[in-house]
PDB file of all heavy atoms in Angstrom:
ATOM      1  N   LEU A 435      92.372  75.862  61.799  1.00  0.00           N
ATOM      2  CA  LEU A 435      92.955  75.977  60.469  1.00  0.00           C
ATOM      3  C   LEU A 435      93.661  77.321  60.318  1.00  0.00           C
ATOM      4  O   LEU A 435      93.305  78.303  60.980  1.00  0.00           O
ATOM      5  CB  LEU A 435      91.860  75.851  59.407  1.00  0.00           C
ATOM      6  CG  LEU A 435      91.240  74.459  59.266  1.00  0.00           C
ATOM      7  CD1 LEU A 435      90.032  74.508  58.367  1.00  0.00           C
ATOM      8  CD2 LEU A 435      92.268  73.480  58.722  1.00  0.00           C
ATOM      9  N   PRO A 436      94.657  77.404  59.429  1.00  0.00           N
ATOM     10  CA  PRO A 436      95.355  78.672  59.223  1.00  0.00           C
ATOM     11  C   PRO A 436      94.402  79.771  58.774  1.00  0.00           C
ATOM     12  O   PRO A 436      93.404  79.510  58.076  1.00  0.00           O
ATOM     13  CB  PRO A 436      96.370  78.347  58.115  1.00  0.00           C
ATOM     14  CG  PRO A 436      96.547  76.872  58.177  1.00  0.00           C
ATOM     15  CD  PRO A 436      95.236  76.314  58.624  1.00  0.00           C
ATOM     16  N   ALA A 437      94.720  80.991  59.147  1.00  0.00           N
ATOM     17  CA  ALA A 437      93.919  82.137  58.721  1.00  0.00           C
ATOM     18  C   ALA A 437      94.098  82.348  57.216  1.00  0.00           C
ATOM     19  O   ALA A 437      95.109  81.948  56.629  1.00  0.00           O
ATOM     20  CB  ALA A 437      94.343  83.383  59.486  1.00  0.00           C
ATOM     21  N   TRP A 438      93.126  82.956  56.590  1.00  0.00           N
ATOM     22  CA  TRP A 438      93.200  83.265  55.167  1.00  0.00           C
ATOM     23  C   TRP A 438      92.595  84.640  54.934  1.00  0.00           C
ATOM     24  O   TRP A 438      91.879  85.182  55.776  1.00  0.00           O
ATOM     25  CB  TRP A 438      92.460  82.212  54.336  1.00  0.00           C
ATOM     26  CG  TRP A 438      91.003  82.081  54.705  1.00  0.00           C
ATOM     27  CD1 TRP A 438      90.469  81.319  55.700  1.00  0.00           C
ATOM     28  CD2 TRP A 438      89.906  82.770  54.093  1.00  0.00           C
ATOM     29  NE1 TRP A 438      89.100  81.477  55.757  1.00  0.00           N
ATOM     30  CE2 TRP A 438      88.732  82.358  54.768  1.00  0.00           C
ATOM     31  CE3 TRP A 438      89.790  83.679  53.042  1.00  0.00           C
ATOM     32  CZ2 TRP A 438      87.468  82.837  54.426  1.00  0.00           C
ATOM     33  CZ3 TRP A 438      88.532  84.154  52.697  1.00  0.00           C
ATOM     34  CH2 TRP A 438      87.388  83.730  53.388  1.00  0.00           C
ATOM     35  N   GLU A 439      92.913  85.222  53.789  1.00  0.00           N
ATOM     36  CA  GLU A 439      92.378  86.528  53.433  1.00  0.00           C
ATOM     37  C   GLU A 439      91.651  86.433  52.100  1.00  0.00           C
ATOM     38  O   GLU A 439      91.913  85.513  51.307  1.00  0.00           O
ATOM     39  CB  GLU A 439      93.508  87.562  53.354  1.00  0.00           C
ATOM     40  CG  GLU A 439      94.165  87.819  54.704  1.00  0.00           C
ATOM     41  CD  GLU A 439      95.226  88.903  54.635  1.00  0.00           C
ATOM     42  OE1 GLU A 439      95.573  89.329  53.506  1.00  0.00           O
ATOM     43  OE2 GLU A 439      95.706  89.319  55.705  1.00  0.00           O
ATOM     44  N   PRO A 440      90.727  87.364  51.812  1.00  0.00           N
ATOM     45  CA  PRO A 440      89.978  87.307  50.555  1.00  0.00           C
ATOM     46  C   PRO A 440      90.901  87.180  49.344  1.00  0.00           C
ATOM     47  O   PRO A 440      91.935  87.843  49.262  1.00  0.00           O
ATOM     48  CB  PRO A 440      89.229  88.644  50.539  1.00  0.00           C
ATOM     49  CG  PRO A 440      89.023  88.962  51.991  1.00  0.00           C
ATOM     50  CD  PRO A 440      90.271  88.486  52.672  1.00  0.00           C
ATOM     51  N   GLY A 441      90.506  86.322  48.420  1.00  0.00           N
ATOM     52  CA  GLY A 441      91.320  86.037  47.242  1.00  0.00           C
ATOM     53  C   GLY A 441      92.098  84.749  47.355  1.00  0.00           C
ATOM     54  O   GLY A 441      92.613  84.240  46.350  1.00  0.00           O
ATOM     55  N   ALA A 442      92.196  84.190  48.562  1.00  0.00           N
ATOM     56  CA  ALA A 442      92.955  82.950  48.769  1.00  0.00           C
ATOM     57  C   ALA A 442      92.199  81.757  48.187  1.00  0.00           C
ATOM     58  O   ALA A 442      90.968  81.744  48.121  1.00  0.00           O
ATOM     59  CB  ALA A 442      93.212  82.733  50.248  1.00  0.00           C
ATOM     60  N   HIS A 443      92.962  80.740  47.776  1.00  0.00           N
ATOM     61  CA  HIS A 443      92.349  79.497  47.329  1.00  0.00           C
ATOM     62  C   HIS A 443      93.091  78.307  47.914  1.00  0.00           C
ATOM     63  O   HIS A 443      94.195  78.432  48.424  1.00  0.00           O
ATOM     64  CB  HIS A 443      92.311  79.406  45.796  1.00  0.00           C
ATOM     65  CG  HIS A 443      93.644  79.137  45.158  1.00  0.00           C
ATOM     66  ND1 HIS A 443      94.411  80.128  44.597  1.00  0.00           N
ATOM     67  CD2 HIS A 443      94.355  77.999  44.998  1.00  0.00           C
ATOM     68  CE1 HIS A 443      95.526  79.609  44.108  1.00  0.00           C
ATOM     69  NE2 HIS A 443      95.521  78.312  44.347  1.00  0.00           N
ATOM     70  N   ILE A 444      92.454  77.165  47.839  1.00  0.00           N
ATOM     71  CA  ILE A 444      93.070  75.902  48.246  1.00  0.00           C
ATOM     72  C   ILE A 444      93.018  74.934  47.084  1.00  0.00           C
ATOM     73  O   ILE A 444      92.225  75.098  46.150  1.00  0.00           O
ATOM     74  CB  ILE A 444      92.381  75.276  49.479  1.00  0.00           C
ATOM     75  CG1 ILE A 444      90.897  75.012  49.197  1.00  0.00           C
ATOM     76  CG2 ILE A 444      92.567  76.148  50.707  1.00  0.00           C
ATOM     77  CD1 ILE A 444      90.184  74.233  50.285  1.00  0.00           C
ATOM     78  N   ASP A 445      93.887  73.918  47.128  1.00  0.00           N
ATOM     79  CA  ASP A 445      93.829  72.808  46.187  1.00  0.00           C
ATOM     80  C   ASP A 445      93.112  71.648  46.865  1.00  0.00           C
ATOM     81  O   ASP A 445      93.464  71.275  47.985  1.00  0.00           O
ATOM     82  CB  ASP A 445      95.231  72.317  45.802  1.00  0.00           C
ATOM     83  CG  ASP A 445      96.089  73.396  45.175  1.00  0.00           C
ATOM     84  OD1 ASP A 445      95.531  74.350  44.607  1.00  0.00           O
ATOM     85  OD2 ASP A 445      97.327  73.281  45.266  1.00  0.00           O
ATOM     86  N   VAL A 446      92.145  71.086  46.212  1.00  0.00           N
ATOM     87  CA  VAL A 446      91.547  69.826  46.647  1.00  0.00           C
ATOM     88  C   VAL A 446      92.196  68.719  45.812  1.00  0.00           C
ATOM     89  O   VAL A 446      92.102  68.721  44.576  1.00  0.00           O
ATOM     90  CB  VAL A 446      90.025  69.816  46.470  1.00  0.00           C
ATOM     91  CG1 VAL A 446      89.453  68.441  46.817  1.00  0.00           C
ATOM     92  CG2 VAL A 446      89.380  70.891  47.343  1.00  0.00           C
ATOM     93  N   VAL A 447      92.895  67.817  46.491  1.00  0.00           N
ATOM     94  CA  VAL A 447      93.618  66.738  45.814  1.00  0.00           C
ATOM     95  C   VAL A 447      92.679  65.540  45.678  1.00  0.00           C
ATOM     96  O   VAL A 447      92.210  64.989  46.681  1.00  0.00           O
ATOM     97  CB  VAL A 447      94.895  66.360  46.586  1.00  0.00           C
ATOM     98  CG1 VAL A 447      95.658  65.264  45.839  1.00  0.00           C
ATOM     99  CG2 VAL A 447      95.781  67.586  46.790  1.00  0.00           C
ATOM    100  N   LEU A 448      92.420  65.148  44.444  1.00  0.00           N
ATOM    101  CA  LEU A 448      91.464  64.088  44.152  1.00  0.00           C
ATOM    102  C   LEU A 448      92.103  62.706  44.332  1.00  0.00           C
ATOM    103  O   LEU A 448      93.332  62.590  44.428  1.00  0.00           O
ATOM    104  CB  LEU A 448      90.945  64.255  42.732  1.00  0.00           C
ATOM    105  CG  LEU A 448      90.269  65.600  42.437  1.00  0.00           C
ATOM    106  CD1 LEU A 448      89.898  65.697  40.968  1.00  0.00           C
ATOM    107  CD2 LEU A 448      89.053  65.815  43.321  1.00  0.00           C
ATOM    108  N   PRO A 449      91.298  61.642  44.384  1.00  0.00           N
ATOM    109  CA  PRO A 449      91.848  60.303  44.600  1.00  0.00           C
ATOM    110  C   PRO A 449      92.893  59.884  43.573  1.00  0.00           C
ATOM    111  O   PRO A 449      93.786  59.097  43.880  1.00  0.00           O
ATOM    112  CB  PRO A 449      90.598  59.405  44.513  1.00  0.00           C
ATOM    113  CG  PRO A 449      89.484  60.283  44.970  1.00  0.00           C
ATOM    114  CD  PRO A 449      89.819  61.640  44.443  1.00  0.00           C
ATOM    115  N   ASP A 450      92.829  60.415  42.340  1.00  0.00           N
ATOM    116  CA  ASP A 450      93.814  60.043  41.324  1.00  0.00           C
ATOM    117  C   ASP A 450      95.093  60.866  41.414  1.00  0.00           C
ATOM    118  O   ASP A 450      96.001  60.704  40.592  1.00  0.00           O
ATOM    119  CB  ASP A 450      93.210  60.152  39.916  1.00  0.00           C
ATOM    120  CG  ASP A 450      92.849  61.589  39.538  1.00  0.00           C
ATOM    121  OD1 ASP A 450      93.064  62.506  40.359  1.00  0.00           O
ATOM    122  OD2 ASP A 450      92.339  61.790  38.413  1.00  0.00           O
ATOM    123  N   GLY A 451      95.176  61.763  42.423  1.00  0.00           N
ATOM    124  CA  GLY A 451      96.366  62.575  42.616  1.00  0.00           C
ATOM    125  C   GLY A 451      96.320  63.918  41.943  1.00  0.00           C
ATOM    126  O   GLY A 451      97.158  64.792  42.227  1.00  0.00           O
ATOM    127  N   SER A 452      95.380  64.149  41.038  1.00  0.00           N
ATOM    128  CA  SER A 452      95.232  65.464  40.414  1.00  0.00           C
ATOM    129  C   SER A 452      94.605  66.432  41.418  1.00  0.00           C
ATOM    130  O   SER A 452      94.079  66.012  42.460  1.00  0.00           O
ATOM    131  CB  SER A 452      94.379  65.369  39.150  1.00  0.00           C
ATOM    132  OG  SER A 452      93.059  64.957  39.466  1.00  0.00           O
ATOM    133  N   ALA A 453      94.659  67.711  41.120  1.00  0.00           N
ATOM    134  CA  ALA A 453      94.156  68.704  42.065  1.00  0.00           C
ATOM    135  C   ALA A 453      93.317  69.746  41.341  1.00  0.00           C
ATOM    136  O   ALA A 453      93.524  70.019  40.153  1.00  0.00           O
ATOM    137  CB  ALA A 453      95.314  69.378  42.797  1.00  0.00           C
ATOM    138  N   ARG A 454      92.378  70.329  42.062  1.00  0.00           N
ATOM    139  CA  ARG A 454      91.552  71.414  41.546  1.00  0.00           C
ATOM    140  C   ARG A 454      91.585  72.566  42.548  1.00  0.00           C
ATOM    141  O   ARG A 454      91.635  72.340  43.761  1.00  0.00           O
ATOM    142  CB  ARG A 454      90.103  70.954  41.348  1.00  0.00           C
ATOM    143  CG  ARG A 454      89.946  69.776  40.402  1.00  0.00           C
ATOM    144  CD  ARG A 454      90.294  70.120  38.963  1.00  0.00           C
ATOM    145  NE  ARG A 454      90.024  68.995  38.073  1.00  0.00           N
ATOM    146  CZ  ARG A 454      90.894  68.036  37.781  1.00  0.00           C
ATOM    147  NH1 ARG A 454      92.105  68.063  38.326  1.00  0.00           N
ATOM    148  NH2 ARG A 454      90.569  67.061  36.958  1.00  0.00           N
ATOM    149  N   GLN A 455      91.533  73.786  42.028  1.00  0.00           N
ATOM    150  CA  GLN A 455      91.629  74.966  42.879  1.00  0.00           C
ATOM    151  C   GLN A 455      90.240  75.552  43.140  1.00  0.00           C
ATOM    152  O   GLN A 455      89.428  75.682  42.208  1.00  0.00           O
ATOM    153  CB  GLN A 455      92.510  76.040  42.220  1.00  0.00           C
ATOM    154  CG  GLN A 455      93.967  75.654  42.075  1.00  0.00           C
ATOM    155  CD  GLN A 455      94.208  74.673  40.955  1.00  0.00           C
ATOM    156  OE1 GLN A 455      93.739  74.854  39.835  1.00  0.00           O
ATOM    157  NE2 GLN A 455      94.931  73.603  41.254  1.00  0.00           N
ATOM    158  N   TYR A 456      89.988  75.898  44.403  1.00  0.00           N
ATOM    159  CA  TYR A 456      88.722  76.510  44.785  1.00  0.00           C
ATOM    160  C   TYR A 456      88.979  77.665  45.743  1.00  0.00           C
ATOM    161  O   TYR A 456      89.767  77.536  46.684  1.00  0.00           O
ATOM    162  CB  TYR A 456      87.789  75.480  45.429  1.00  0.00           C
ATOM    163  CG  TYR A 456      87.452  74.350  44.486  1.00  0.00           C
ATOM    164  CD1 TYR A 456      88.038  73.102  44.639  1.00  0.00           C
ATOM    165  CD2 TYR A 456      86.570  74.550  43.421  1.00  0.00           C
ATOM    166  CE1 TYR A 456      87.755  72.073  43.747  1.00  0.00           C
ATOM    167  CE2 TYR A 456      86.287  73.520  42.530  1.00  0.00           C
ATOM    168  CZ  TYR A 456      86.883  72.289  42.701  1.00  0.00           C
ATOM    169  OH  TYR A 456      86.617  71.270  41.815  1.00  0.00           O
ATOM    170  N   SER A 457      88.327  78.790  45.487  1.00  0.00           N
ATOM    171  CA  SER A 457      88.501  79.979  46.321  1.00  0.00           C
ATOM    172  C   SER A 457      87.850  79.780  47.679  1.00  0.00           C
ATOM    173  O   SER A 457      86.759  79.203  47.780  1.00  0.00           O
ATOM    174  CB  SER A 457      87.886  81.200  45.633  1.00  0.00           C
ATOM    175  OG  SER A 457      88.561  81.481  44.428  1.00  0.00           O
ATOM    176  N   LEU A 458      88.507  80.275  48.701  1.00  0.00           N
ATOM    177  CA  LEU A 458      87.944  80.247  50.047  1.00  0.00           C
ATOM    178  C   LEU A 458      86.994  81.423  50.245  1.00  0.00           C
ATOM    179  O   LEU A 458      87.253  82.534  49.780  1.00  0.00           O
ATOM    180  CB  LEU A 458      89.057  80.319  51.094  1.00  0.00           C
ATOM    181  CG  LEU A 458      89.887  79.046  51.309  1.00  0.00           C
ATOM    182  CD1 LEU A 458      91.079  79.350  52.199  1.00  0.00           C
ATOM    183  CD2 LEU A 458      89.035  77.934  51.914  1.00  0.00           C
ATOM    184  N   HIS A 459      85.904  81.154  50.935  1.00  0.00           N
ATOM    185  CA  HIS A 459      85.040  82.237  51.410  1.00  0.00           C
ATOM    186  C   HIS A 459      84.566  81.830  52.784  1.00  0.00           C
ATOM    187  O   HIS A 459      85.291  81.178  53.521  1.00  0.00           O
ATOM    188  CB  HIS A 459      83.920  82.540  50.405  1.00  0.00           C
ATOM    189  CG  HIS A 459      83.044  81.373  50.055  1.00  0.00           C
ATOM    190  ND1 HIS A 459      81.967  81.001  50.815  1.00  0.00           N
ATOM    191  CD2 HIS A 459      83.106  80.485  49.026  1.00  0.00           C
ATOM    192  CE1 HIS A 459      81.377  79.955  50.272  1.00  0.00           C
ATOM    193  NE2 HIS A 459      82.056  79.602  49.188  1.00  0.00           N
ATOM    194  N   GLY A 460      83.396  82.214  53.174  1.00  0.00           N
ATOM    195  CA  GLY A 460      82.978  81.921  54.544  1.00  0.00           C
ATOM    196  C   GLY A 460      83.121  83.166  55.395  1.00  0.00           C
ATOM    197  O   GLY A 460      83.475  84.245  54.917  1.00  0.00           O
ATOM    198  N   THR A 461      82.872  83.021  56.663  1.00  0.00           N
ATOM    199  CA  THR A 461      82.971  84.154  57.581  1.00  0.00           C
ATOM    200  C   THR A 461      84.016  83.853  58.636  1.00  0.00           C
ATOM    201  O   THR A 461      84.186  82.707  59.054  1.00  0.00           O
ATOM    202  CB  THR A 461      81.615  84.434  58.253  1.00  0.00           C
ATOM    203  OG1 THR A 461      81.176  83.255  58.937  1.00  0.00           O
ATOM    204  CG2 THR A 461      80.573  84.835  57.214  1.00  0.00           C
ATOM    205  N   GLY A 462      84.711  84.877  59.064  1.00  0.00           N
ATOM    206  CA  GLY A 462      85.731  84.697  60.083  1.00  0.00           C
ATOM    207  C   GLY A 462      86.819  83.759  59.602  1.00  0.00           C
ATOM    208  O   GLY A 462      87.337  83.882  58.505  1.00  0.00           O
ATOM    209  N   ALA A 463      87.163  82.773  60.445  1.00  0.00           N
ATOM    210  CA  ALA A 463      88.239  81.840  60.120  1.00  0.00           C
ATOM    211  C   ALA A 463      87.726  80.594  59.401  1.00  0.00           C
ATOM    212  O   ALA A 463      88.494  79.678  59.121  1.00  0.00           O
ATOM    213  CB  ALA A 463      88.972  81.432  61.397  1.00  0.00           C
ATOM    214  N   GLU A 464      86.426  80.542  59.075  1.00  0.00           N
ATOM    215  CA  GLU A 464      85.868  79.352  58.432  1.00  0.00           C
ATOM    216  C   GLU A 464      86.491  79.121  57.064  1.00  0.00           C
ATOM    217  O   GLU A 464      86.756  80.060  56.317  1.00  0.00           O
ATOM    218  CB  GLU A 464      84.354  79.505  58.252  1.00  0.00           C
ATOM    219  CG  GLU A 464      83.550  79.394  59.530  1.00  0.00           C
ATOM    220  CD  GLU A 464      82.064  79.532  59.257  1.00  0.00           C
ATOM    221  OE1 GLU A 464      81.685  79.799  58.098  1.00  0.00           O
ATOM    222  OE2 GLU A 464      81.272  79.380  60.209  1.00  0.00           O
ATOM    223  N   TRP A 465      86.697  77.863  56.745  1.00  0.00           N
ATOM    224  CA  TRP A 465      87.115  77.471  55.401  1.00  0.00           C
ATOM    225  C   TRP A 465      85.893  76.936  54.680  1.00  0.00           C
ATOM    226  O   TRP A 465      85.330  75.912  55.066  1.00  0.00           O
ATOM    227  CB  TRP A 465      88.188  76.384  55.467  1.00  0.00           C
ATOM    228  CG  TRP A 465      89.566  76.883  55.751  1.00  0.00           C
ATOM    229  CD1 TRP A 465      89.925  77.992  56.461  1.00  0.00           C
ATOM    230  CD2 TRP A 465      90.787  76.265  55.323  1.00  0.00           C
ATOM    231  NE1 TRP A 465      91.292  78.102  56.515  1.00  0.00           N
ATOM    232  CE2 TRP A 465      91.845  77.050  55.824  1.00  0.00           C
ATOM    233  CE3 TRP A 465      91.085  75.124  54.590  1.00  0.00           C
ATOM    234  CZ2 TRP A 465      93.184  76.726  55.598  1.00  0.00           C
ATOM    235  CZ3 TRP A 465      92.409  74.801  54.367  1.00  0.00           C
ATOM    236  CH2 TRP A 465      93.444  75.597  54.861  1.00  0.00           C
ATOM    237  N   GLU A 466      85.489  77.627  53.647  1.00  0.00           N
ATOM    238  CA  GLU A 466      84.339  77.187  52.867  1.00  0.00           C
ATOM    239  C   GLU A 466      84.654  77.381  51.395  1.00  0.00           C
ATOM    240  O   GLU A 466      85.267  78.371  51.002  1.00  0.00           O
ATOM    241  CB  GLU A 466      83.087  77.983  53.259  1.00  0.00           C
ATOM    242  CG  GLU A 466      81.801  77.417  52.694  1.00  0.00           C
ATOM    243  CD  GLU A 466      80.556  78.021  53.350  1.00  0.00           C
ATOM    244  OE1 GLU A 466      80.608  78.321  54.550  1.00  0.00           O
ATOM    245  OE2 GLU A 466      79.556  78.165  52.637  1.00  0.00           O
ATOM    246  N   ILE A 467      84.271  76.425  50.570  1.00  0.00           N
ATOM    247  CA  ILE A 467      84.439  76.521  49.130  1.00  0.00           C
ATOM    248  C   ILE A 467      83.100  76.267  48.466  1.00  0.00           C
ATOM    249  O   ILE A 467      82.216  75.627  49.042  1.00  0.00           O
ATOM    250  CB  ILE A 467      85.493  75.524  48.593  1.00  0.00           C
ATOM    251  CG1 ILE A 467      85.084  74.078  48.908  1.00  0.00           C
ATOM    252  CG2 ILE A 467      86.879  75.845  49.154  1.00  0.00           C
ATOM    253  CD1 ILE A 467      85.985  73.020  48.276  1.00  0.00           C
ATOM    254  N   SER A 468      82.944  76.767  47.247  1.00  0.00           N
ATOM    255  CA  SER A 468      81.751  76.481  46.451  1.00  0.00           C
ATOM    256  C   SER A 468      82.193  75.915  45.121  1.00  0.00           C
ATOM    257  O   SER A 468      83.131  76.425  44.495  1.00  0.00           O
ATOM    258  CB  SER A 468      80.923  77.749  46.244  1.00  0.00           C
ATOM    259  OG  SER A 468      80.385  78.191  47.476  1.00  0.00           O
ATOM    260  N   VAL A 469      81.516  74.864  44.672  1.00  0.00           N
ATOM    261  CA  VAL A 469      81.949  74.105  43.503  1.00  0.00           C
ATOM    262  C   VAL A 469      80.808  74.018  42.498  1.00  0.00           C
ATOM    263  O   VAL A 469      79.718  73.537  42.822  1.00  0.00           O
ATOM    264  CB  VAL A 469      82.399  72.686  43.908  1.00  0.00           C
ATOM    265  CG1 VAL A 469      82.882  71.907  42.683  1.00  0.00           C
ATOM    266  CG2 VAL A 469      83.487  72.756  44.973  1.00  0.00           C
ATOM    267  N   LEU A 470      81.080  74.487  41.288  1.00  0.00           N
ATOM    268  CA  LEU A 470      80.132  74.355  40.186  1.00  0.00           C
ATOM    269  C   LEU A 470      80.308  72.999  39.531  1.00  0.00           C
ATOM    270  O   LEU A 470      81.432  72.566  39.252  1.00  0.00           O
ATOM    271  CB  LEU A 470      80.381  75.460  39.151  1.00  0.00           C
ATOM    272  CG  LEU A 470      79.599  75.360  37.831  1.00  0.00           C
ATOM    273  CD1 LEU A 470      78.108  75.555  38.065  1.00  0.00           C
ATOM    274  CD2 LEU A 470      80.130  76.372  36.820  1.00  0.00           C
TER     275      LEU A 470
END
Side-chain angles (χ1 to χ4, degrees):
L435 290 171
W438 59 275
E439 294 183 351
H443 73 260
I444 59 172
D445 301 335
V446 175
V447 182
L448 302 175
D450 65 0
S452 64
R454 302 293 185 271
Q455 294 76 48
Y456 299 105
S457 296
L458 285 171
H459 57 85
T461 57
E464 287 181 355
W465 280 29
E466 191 167 326
I467 60 173
S468 293
V469 181
L470 172 67

